[in-house]
Amino acid sequence: VAQVWDPNSALAARDPNGTMYAYKDRITVVRVTLDDRGQLKDVQVEKGSGADFLDVTAMEAFRRAQPFVNPPKGLADQRGEIQFAFGFYLEVGNAGMRIFRMNKPQ
């Protein structure tokens, strides 16, 4: 997912001076559902960043990164689905990007 997530291009297109959206750090948390073969079944914004286009880039990163090979069978529920929250952190001050998995109960 990290290899295909590109919030900087989206920011540059909408905020070339960095004053409209890039004046603070942004966090997008998505809820991801995979099937037991690693195919993406669903991805939705659970907590938005305050900039819809950045939230879309986070969801698109999951769509482009699939399939996720060899998901552990023990993670699938009774329906054969694997669900988890995943975070995208855009740190403006250092022009850095971080991705993190949320450890929240389902």
Side-chain angles (χ1 to χ4, degrees):
V1 175
Q3 295 172 354
V4 296
W5 180 48
D6 183 19
N8 290 327
S9 293
L11 271 174
R14 289 170 182 81
D15 188 10
N17 298 325
T19 56
M20 292 175 48
Y21 300 105
Y23 63 91
K24 68 177 187 173
D25 296 352
R26 303 282 181 169
I27 298 174
T28 300
V29 177
V30 295
R31 169 73 41 198
V32 179
T33 304
L34 304 176
D35 67 17
D36 59 356
R37 293 167 305 175
Q39 292 290 327
L40 183 67
K41 289 185 76 175
D42 191 32
V43 60
Q44 299 177 18
V45 174
E46 187 171 280
K47 178 186 176 293
S49 67
D52 291 343
F53 69 93
L54 290 175
D55 301 340
V56 169
T57 65
M59 291 187 298
E60 284 299 317
F62 263 95
R63 290 184 185 110
R64 285 193 306 271
Q66 70 172 319
F68 301 94
V69 296
N70 301 322
K73 297 295 181 199
L75 293 179
D77 63 16
Q78 299 87 351
R79 296 182 311 257
E81 295 179 343
I82 302 166
Q83 294 187 1
F84 57 94
F86 198 87
F88 295 82
Y89 179 53
L90 177 62
E91 187 175 17
V92 179
N94 295 329
M97 301 180 297
R98 284 188 259 164
I99 294 179
F100 56 94
R101 181 164 185 292
M102 303 290 294
N103 292 318
K104 294 178 13 180
Q106 302 299 316

